[in-house]
Amino acid sequence: MGDGLRAVVVGTGMIGAVHATAIRAAGGELAGMVASTPRRSARVAEEWGVSGRYPDFAAVLADDSVRVVHVCTPNALHVPQAEAALRAGKHVVCEKPLATSVADAERLTALAERTGLVLAVPFVYRYHPLVREIRERRLRGEFGAWQLVHGSYLQDWMLSQDVSSWRVDPGEGGPSRAFADIGSHWCDLVEWVAGVRFGEVSARLGTTIRSRPAGTGSSFSAAVDGPRVAVRTEDVATVLLRTSDGVLGTLTVSQVSAGRKNRLWFELDGARASAVFDQEQPETAWLGGQDGARVIVRDPQHGSAEQRRLSRLPAGHAQGYADCFTSFVADAHTTIRSGIAPDGLPTGADGLRSARIVEAVLRSADTLAWTDVPDTSPDQEATP
């Protein structure tokens, strides 16, 4: 693609490395990175093969040649860093959650709108080609009116009581962990694919491991002997949902389900047909009708235009998460260059929408009542 946009990644954990790889794969220039300390920044620069050196975040903001800042730091830093980058005239790709409160998400989104700068949020599961295929079939009316939407997002990386993370601490990760971290992905994906808006939620949150090691900075730190702290964020969540037009849904979220590494799964049941997508098996999708069911395969020679556009490899050559990230970054770069966002690019408005859903889930869990999800954005396309 060769657009040459100079980008800097702030935060060098697992997701920062994913962003760095995607920038290069999308044709951008990885100009540098900023880690938690200058020493770590220098070490990661060597590992990533980056010649640029920035002593701190302020140096990035002062470099007029940097056009895009990728914010990949702990959640509590997202708003101040993204806000500073926007005020410095940089486009921003900010990891989700965009903010740990609705008020902060509103302020950041409004700033991006006033400045005319791109604020993109990597809800990258939208970029699986077969997700686009299902969405296109919905737009064509293949499924009919929705009868039910349901699914789960299950992981097991927090199953051991001797593993912890900055995400466990609400001061760094925010008041919600499992739901805000992965349930938000499911809600974004299903709303976008199905063309629905969740208007009400009834949620219950659970903490199955009551204490974890203290003082772990990495997202995947194994514990060492030492003090433990009480866990104040959820390991699991169950949510009943009702769309704005009355369709019921269910969602189960867990970071403690043994053997489930990253299983985002949804089923959309329509009056004429149904569809299933499993993120751990992204090369196929299940389509069902009263007369039977079939499995379709990702294929750049068949299907919707968006499926073909995002199919970077021939059929039978597996694509996955990293390819989604590359496509997302490429679309963000296209938007920066042209001012026109390709269909489906998740932006600050989607990050704000997610913050509103997370806040409604937390309120519902506190009150044990159905809770409205405020929504001031335009309705998505109605299902034919």
Side-chain angles (χ1 to χ4, degrees):
M1 297 175 188
D3 58 38
L5 292 178
R6 284 175 56 82
V8 170
V9 174
V10 182
T12 56
M14 181 278 289
I15 200 64
V18 171
H19 280 249
T21 299
I23 290 165
R24 286 168 158 165
E29 179 186 349
L30 182 59
M33 80 288 301
V34 177
S36 53
T37 66
R39 182 178 178 182
R40 176 168 168 77
S41 293
R43 178 169 63 80
V44 174
E46 291 294 331
E47 292 174 358
W48 291 2
V50 179
S51 59
R53 296 290 190 274
Y54 292 93
D56 52 31
F57 185 50
V60 175
L61 300 182
D63 186 349
D64 291 338
S65 73
V66 174
R67 296 190 62 193
V68 192
V69 173
H70 288 242
V71 177
C72 304
T73 48
N75 300 346
L77 298 176
H78 289 181
V79 169
Q81 290 179 336
E83 186 172 23
L86 289 169
R87 292 190 184 282
K90 316 293 188 189
H91 302 279
V92 172
V93 175
C94 183
E95 261 301 324
K96 36 105 343 234
L98 179 63
T100 58
S101 74
V102 169
D104 282 347
E106 287 175 339
R107 189 177 82 251
L108 194 60
T109 303
L111 175 61
E113 291 175 352
R114 287 198 307 273
T115 59
L117 294 165
V118 171
L119 174 59
V121 181
F123 287 113
V124 297
Y125 298 118
R126 294 184 181 194
Y127 282 86
H128 280 295
L130 288 179
V131 162
R132 300 288 174 124
E133 180 68 23
I134 293 171
R135 183 173 185 267
E136 177 60 27
R137 289 169 181 262
R138 184 266 297 178
L139 289 169
R140 295 201 308 259
E142 184 170 315
F143 302 110
W146 298 124
Q147 311 296 294
L148 180 70
V149 297
H150 53 111
S152 60
Y153 197 154
L154 309 176
Q155 299 174 332
D156 72 355
W157 70 280
M158 295 295 286
L159 181 59
S160 170
Q161 65 180 356
D162 293 326
V163 169
S164 195
S165 162
W166 57 261
R167 297 176 186 275
V168 172
D169 180 357
E172 292 192 73
S176 170
R177 175 174 28 107
F179 185 83
D181 189 24
I182 58 177
S184 60
H185 269 298
W186 189 95
C187 289
D188 173 81
L189 189 62
V190 169
E191 283 197 333
W192 187 70
V193 173
V196 300
R197 301 292 267 189
F198 297 124
E200 295 179 282
V201 297
S202 178
R204 302 295 183 271
L205 308 180
T207 303
T208 64
I209 297 175
R210 297 297 177 180
S211 69
R212 293 187 183 273
T216 54
S218 166
S219 293
F220 295 92
S221 294
V224 296
D225 292 339
R228 301 178 71 87
V229 296
V231 176
R232 293 179 289 156
T233 51
E234 77 278 4
D235 294 306
V236 298
T238 58
V239 186
L240 299 177
L241 310 115
R242 185 183 290 120
T243 70
S244 57
D245 54 356
V247 179
L248 293 178
T250 65
L251 169 61
T252 301
V253 174
S254 170
Q255 294 180 324
V256 291
S257 293
R260 296 301 189 186
K261 302 305 177 183
N262 199 51
R263 188 175 187 262
L264 187 165
W265 183 96
F266 68 73
E267 178 165 339
L268 309 175
D269 296 330
R272 291 193 287 274
S274 299
V276 170
F277 180 77
D278 179 354
Q279 198 278 149
E280 289 189 337
Q281 305 292 331
E283 291 286 272
T284 61
W286 180 93
L287 301 176
Q290 270 196 309
D291 58 348
R294 63 191 178 105
V295 172
I296 60 172
V297 178
R298 182 190 63 80
D299 187 344
Q301 302 302 316
H302 299 91
S304 68
E306 279 293 283
Q307 186 214 157
R308 297 195 302 271
R309 178 177 81 90
L310 297 176
S311 287
R312 294 176 168 270
L313 297 171
H317 298 73
Q319 287 189 200
Y321 179 74
D323 299 288
C324 291
F325 241 101
T326 297
S327 295
F328 160 73
V329 172
D331 275 5
H333 285 196
T334 294
T335 306
I336 291 167
R337 293 194 313 268
S338 69
I340 301 172
D343 182 44
L345 177 70
T347 66
D350 300 295
L352 172 56
R353 170 67 182 167
S354 179
R356 287 177 172 149
I357 293 176
V358 171
E359 191 167 277
V361 163
L362 289 171
R363 286 202 312 271
S364 177
D366 284 342
T367 61
L368 304 183
W370 280 94
T371 302
D372 290 342
V373 181
D375 189 8
T376 57
S377 59
D379 291 338
Q380 294 191 7
E381 314 98 315
T383 301

